[in-house]
Each structure stands twice: as C-alpha cells, then as structure tokens.
Amino acid sequence: MTTERDRDEWDYGRGAVREVCVIGGSRYFGKRLTARLIAAGDRVTVINRGSSPPPTGAIHLIADRDDEKSLDQALGSRAFDVVIDQVCYTPRQAEIARRVFGERTRRYIMTSTVEVYEYEDSAELVREDAVNPRTVTVDLELPWDDLEFLDTHYGEGKRQAEAVFAAEPGFPYVAVRVAHVLGGADDFTGRLTHYTERIRTGEPIRVPPVNHPATYIHVEEIADFLAWAAGQEFTGPVNAASHGTLSTEELCEALIAHIPAGKPTFRTVEVGGVSPFAFTRSYGMDNGRATRLGFTFGEARQWLPRAVTETLATQQPKTAERTN
C-alpha cells in the first residue's frame, strides 16, 4: 500500500505536526478528546458516517467503518502517527480496522471498557493481566450485526476486538479499558437521571442483595487520558479509572444535594434488573499501570459533586445507556 510517508521515515515527536485520526469522536468524551488534540496543534482527521459534524478545526471524512472498501477509499493515501478508535465494538470491526490501518499508522488506540472484566469477581481492584487478549477466543461468526445481541454481549464484543488487535505480531495497539464515565452537561446515558427521578418520586431504587462499589472516571479526565496516551509509546491493555470506588449510596447522596427533601429508597431484588450503577460483583479496576507510566488520576469522591452538578443542569429523564 502506498502512503503519504513511509513509516520508517515518519518524524513523529521531532517537532512536526502530528497526524491523528479519530474514528467516531463527535460526542461526549470523544469530542473533548478531539478538541484537546486540535488545541495541542495536532492535525486531526475525524471519521464517521456523517450523522454529526466533528469539532471545529478537524478534517472530516465520511465512511462506514463496517464497510472496508468505504473506509479504505475515504482514507486514500493518508497515513497517521496515531489512530484513536472510539467506536470499535466487535471483532469484525477490529479485523477491518487492522487491515485498513495496518500500514497507515504507527500507533492504534482502541477505547475499550471495564466490561471486559465481566467474568471477574475479585474483592481486590482488577489489574490488566486478569484478561489477556492473546488468550481470548475470537468468533467472527457470532451475530455481531444484531443490535440486541451486541447490546447483551457488549463486554464480549470489546474483549474479542482487543484479541484481534493483539493477535497481529508487531501491531502497535493500546486497549484503554475505561471505567464508568460520569459528568458533563451532554451526558447522554441517562444513568444519573435514573436515580434523580426515583429520589424525587420515591420510587424504589433496585439493588442486589450484596451491592458492590465500582471505579469511575470523569468525562474530562478520560479525554485527558486518551490525549495523553496518544503521545506515549506503551502498548497493550491499560486501565483508566480515577482513584477510589463509589457505591450506589454515595452516588445518591451526591444527588440529594440537588433534590430538596429527597431521600432514596432502596429495594433489594434477588433476580431481575437492577439500577444502572448497582452491581452484583466487584467492579473496580486497578489504575497502577497507567500511574506508573506517568498519568495522574484524580480522586472520584472529589470530582463527584461537580459531575452531578454538570449532568443534572440540563438533563431530562431518559432510558439509561452505556457511555462507550
């Protein structure tokens, strides 16, 4: 494949403008990431299907990332120092991305998720080696195009996508396993407002018999982390989570400050759906690797009041969704 620059001659890190590609990146922490890269002087190309414009200053390419020919044609002869993939959910998408970008980038960062640890249940914070993508079985024949299947196999899709990148010898990939994201007036997930409405109306908040805490990260912090990771040299999985865990009760306490006379009522359920931030297993990630590599995380309890204020300022009740 002919590219604009042979990878061995790229002057990455030598003062030249860095070429960065963001796949997705038009909402929530993706748009914050793109804005940070542009502000840092990077030349940023955003690829999406055209449903929403990228932040001002970005080059916009329209392509369907599920269509290899479409993606390849949209890119043409472009090459990048870094690709940051915000919307890789399945091994099929990862296979396409690996083929298309294999000779087009010197570094590939996939935004993964804490959900890759869905089969782990440790009282200790989970480290990256709990899920080694090189040992994960990839099944491309599963119905990954079925939205219902994908929703119920979200963690598995991310886990197998990581495995596809890890299987290619020498492919310089990073899998950023992102904790639950909070904050921002544009939080589209509706998860905090789920609690707000129940506190206001007195409707019970459903929790499991043993309700475990989890690690979280602020929307601005994960944007900072991804922008920082773009300039590093490490590869492989890395956990991104603020210090400390938060429980459902702590989240509700932070919300009460915005709800006069509000008081949460919890209902224990043995089976069936529980509230969005109630967990039947331990859900904490160890951020030690990222910390040793040089990133400084904040404390979740310190930024939680800010996150609640930001989110509830403009949010309306809606069905809860995932952030990544």
Side-chain angles (χ1 to χ4, degrees):
M1 178 186 298
T2 302
T3 61
E4 291 178 344
R5 299 179 291 181
D6 184 274
R7 288 201 296 175
D8 291 336
E9 297 178 356
W10 284 356
D11 47 11
Y12 173 77
R14 298 180 185 175
V17 173
R18 188 171 60 175
E19 297 283 351
V20 182
C21 176
V22 180
I23 307 176
S26 295
R27 68 173 183 172
Y28 207 33
F29 60 84
K31 71 180 183 182
R32 289 168 170 80
L33 163 66
T34 302
R36 280 163 169 74
L37 296 170
I38 293 171
D42 296 325
R43 184 156 48 216
V44 181
T45 299
V46 172
I47 300 175
N48 62 26
R49 290 178 294 184
S51 57
S52 57
T56 301
I59 300 165
H60 190 195
L61 299 181
I62 297 176
D64 182 352
R65 62 123 357 106
D66 294 318
D67 183 335
E68 185 168 349
K69 183 177 180 181
S70 168
L71 187 57
D72 193 67
Q73 288 180 340
L75 287 166
S77 62
R78 291 175 175 84
F80 304 97
D81 296 298
V82 188
V83 174
I84 306 174
D85 191 344
Q86 291 284 89
V87 288
C88 186
Y89 300 110
T90 75
R92 290 181 190 170
Q93 292 176 330
E95 285 272 13
I96 291 172
R98 192 180 67 182
R99 288 194 295 267
V100 170
F101 288 99
E103 296 299 322
R104 281 188 167 100
T105 188
R106 66 181 303 280
R107 185 169 176 77
Y108 197 98
I109 300 174
M110 169 195 167
T111 301
S112 190
T113 174
V114 62
E115 300 293 345
V116 301
Y117 300 120
E118 64 184 324
Y119 301 128
E120 305 301 316
D121 189 6
S122 169
E124 301 296 324
L125 298 178
V126 177
R127 298 195 305 267
E128 290 85 355
D129 57 8
V131 175
N132 180 354
R134 296 184 186 280
T135 65
V136 172
T137 300
V138 173
D139 188 349
L140 298 175
E141 301 307 312
L142 291 172
W144 295 113
D145 295 329
D146 184 310
L147 294 180
E148 184 176 350
F149 177 86
L150 183 57
D151 183 62
T152 56
H153 293 78
Y154 178 71
E156 184 62 26
K158 288 285 192 179
R159 194 162 39 245
Q160 290 194 28
E162 286 190 28
V164 168
F165 292 127
E168 180 70 20
F171 186 74
Y173 90 100
V174 176
V176 179
R177 294 170 177 173
V178 182
H180 303 291
V181 183
L182 294 176
D186 55 337
D187 179 358
F188 63 90
T189 67
R191 294 187 290 192
L192 283 182
T193 49
H194 168 94
Y195 289 100
T196 303
E197 290 307 303
R198 278 153 180 76
I199 293 171
R200 283 177 176 156
T201 63
E203 185 177 350
I205 296 167
R206 296 162 64 91
V207 296
V210 180
N211 189 20
H212 294 274
T215 42
Y216 293 82
I217 192 165
H218 190 273
V219 63
E220 302 292 346
E221 188 169 44
I222 186 56
D224 286 341
F225 184 88
L226 290 167
W228 168 81
Q232 304 302 306
E233 294 295 324
F234 68 87
T235 58
V238 62
N239 293 337
S242 297
H243 296 302
T245 59
L246 297 171
S247 66
T248 307
E249 291 78 9
E250 287 174 295
L251 291 174
C252 289
E253 284 295 324
L255 289 166
I256 289 172
H258 298 263
I259 308 171
K263 183 179 181 180
T265 301
F266 298 98
R267 174 180 294 170
T268 300
V269 294
E270 297 288 345
V271 294
V274 296
S275 59
F277 292 131
F279 304 109
T280 58
R281 63 172 181 81
S282 295
Y283 232 101
M285 291 195 300
D286 185 310
N287 62 16
R289 184 183 187 215
T291 299
R292 290 190 296 274
L293 287 167
F295 189 81
T296 302
F297 290 101
E299 297 283 344
R301 287 184 178 84
Q302 291 183 2
W303 57 250
L304 178 60
R306 170 191 171 192
V308 167
T309 300
E310 293 168 345
T311 303
L312 298 189
T314 58
Q315 283 268 309
Q316 296 298 320
K318 62 191 296 184
T319 300
E321 300 177 24
R322 290 191 175 93
T323 54
N324 58 358

